């Protein structure tokens, strides 16, 4: 599938809901077959008028949009805004601010901030599709500290780090969170600190509800 080359082209291309649909299907299912996010069945039909799919499986929530099961769900923001936003984030080598996104897409700055957060999280975890879901293997989540001991650092480095609140975890080390779907690959990312239940928030954003999650004794 041809993807847009300039911002103008991207916005124009993704204004068309049918382009968004085809684009999402192409990036989400390599074989191009849409599957139900609740039961993984391929027996689904597209309801063009409502722009929803319908599953014939025996479960509640038979209708679903292509956002279900991705980091784009739980928001009223349509794919027509999400997809050009992703395009912008991956195309701007120097990064993009929520203000620029707000201006370019005509969404509120609050929405733009939320979108940037979700898109960056997905890029870090290397997938827009949430982990877990129907028939998934359990997921293991843990945090660890990585980095040198502060007592071996030069005094100026140590002072700078503690001034900036830089490397957290109290010991001058970076906190890294890892997530593993059993039998799969580990996804690791640096998180600001171990406070404020950051790990729990990330798990809630990236893992399907109802998935079996294992961790250590740490409350986070
Ligand atoms: Zn289903």
């Amino acid at each position: 599938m041809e993807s847009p080359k300039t911002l103008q082209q991207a916005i124009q291309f993704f204004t068309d809901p049918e382009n968004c649909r085809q684009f999402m299907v192409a990036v989400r299912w390599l074989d191009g077959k849409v599957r139900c996010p609740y039961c993984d069945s391929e027996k689904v039909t597209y309801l063009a008028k409502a722009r929803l799919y319908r599953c014939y499986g025996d479960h509640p929530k038979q209708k679903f949009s292509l956002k279900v099961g991705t980091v784009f769900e739980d928001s009223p923001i349509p794919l027509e805004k999400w997809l050009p936003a992703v395009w912008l984030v991956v195309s701007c080598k120097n990064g993009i601010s929520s203000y620029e996104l707000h201006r370019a897409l005509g969404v509120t700055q609050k929405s733009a901030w939320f979108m940037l957060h979700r898109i960056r999280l997905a890029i870090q975890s290397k997938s827009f599709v949430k982990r877990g879901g129907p028939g998934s293997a359990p997921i293991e989540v843990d945090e660890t500290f990585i980095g040198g001991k502060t007592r071996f650092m030069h005094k100026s480095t140590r002072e700078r780090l503690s001034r900036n609140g830089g490397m957290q975890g109290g010991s001058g080390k970076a906190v890294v969170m890892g997530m593993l779907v059993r039998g799969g690959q580990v996804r690791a990312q640096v998180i600001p600190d171990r406070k404020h239940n950051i790990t729990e928030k990330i798990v809630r954003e990236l893992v399907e509800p109802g998935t079996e999650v294992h961790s250590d004794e740490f409350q986070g």
Side-chain angles (χ1 to χ4, degrees):
M1 191 170 193
E2 194 81 5
S3 59
K5 300 282 181 288
T6 66
L7 172 61
Q8 201 63 38
Q9 277 177 19
I11 290 178
Q12 204 164 15
F13 180 82
F14 292 120
T15 304
D16 181 352
E18 182 55 22
N19 283 346
C20 290
R21 187 184 72 83
Q22 288 182 20
F23 193 88
M24 272 299 275
V25 172
V27 296
R28 230 181 127 174
W29 294 280
L30 291 177
D31 58 7
K33 285 183 192 140
V34 176
R35 278 180 278 279
C36 172
Y38 306 113
C39 72
D40 210 34
S41 164
E42 278 179 29
K43 268 198 248 163
V44 298
T45 48
Y46 182 54
L47 312 168
K49 224 172 174 182
R51 289 187 207 142
L52 293 172
Y53 283 83
R54 182 184 190 281
C55 173
Y56 292 90
D58 183 20
H59 56 74
K61 289 201 203 171
Q62 286 189 311
K63 290 179 185 170
F64 62 91
S65 80
L66 288 179
K67 289 199 301 182
V68 176
T70 72
V71 296
F72 304 137
E73 73 177 327
D74 343 301
S75 82
I77 301 161
L79 284 180
E80 293 97 288
K81 300 287 183 191
W82 276 113
L83 296 179
V86 173
W87 187 91
L88 266 169
V89 173
V90 299
S91 304
C92 295
K93 287 191 185 70
N94 300 320
I96 180 168
S97 70
S98 60
Y99 185 73
E100 289 168 303
L101 198 62
H102 143 74
R103 289 289 302 271
L105 298 181
V107 295
T108 65
Q109 208 173 341
K110 198 177 157 205
S111 292
W113 187 89
F114 169 77
M115 292 167 87
L116 271 186
H117 167 79
R118 280 284 164 99
I119 292 168
R120 285 177 184 147
L121 198 62
I123 289 171
Q124 274 186 317
S125 82
K126 298 198 165 58
S127 179
F128 286 94
V129 179
K130 291 184 183 178
R131 306 293 192 286
S136 161
I139 290 179
E140 293 176 35
V141 179
D142 265 311
E143 298 156 325
T144 192
F145 298 112
I146 292 185
K149 287 199 162 81
T150 39
R151 65 192 158 97
F152 298 131
M153 285 179 188
H154 189 271
K155 191 163 169 261
S156 65
T157 311
R158 198 163 56 221
E159 281 171 358
R160 180 169 49 78
L161 287 174
S162 77
R163 235 190 349 267
N164 298 340
M167 295 170 87
Q168 302 252 341
S171 55
K173 298 184 181 202
V175 186
V176 175
M177 169 192 154
M179 196 189 293
L180 168 78
V181 180
R182 277 187 194 162
Q185 283 177 304
V186 178
R187 300 291 183 213
Q189 65 188 87
V190 175
I191 58 174
D193 56 54
R194 290 184 94 185
K195 287 173 256 165
H196 315 299
N197 296 331
I198 286 172
T199 294
E200 186 194 327
K201 282 180 195 153
I202 294 175
V203 168
R204 284 191 189 281
E205 286 176 294
L206 293 179
V207 176
E208 284 287 352
T211 307
E212 195 180 322
V213 175
H214 296 252
S215 191
D216 60 12
E217 74 288 354
F218 177 58
Q219 288 288 311

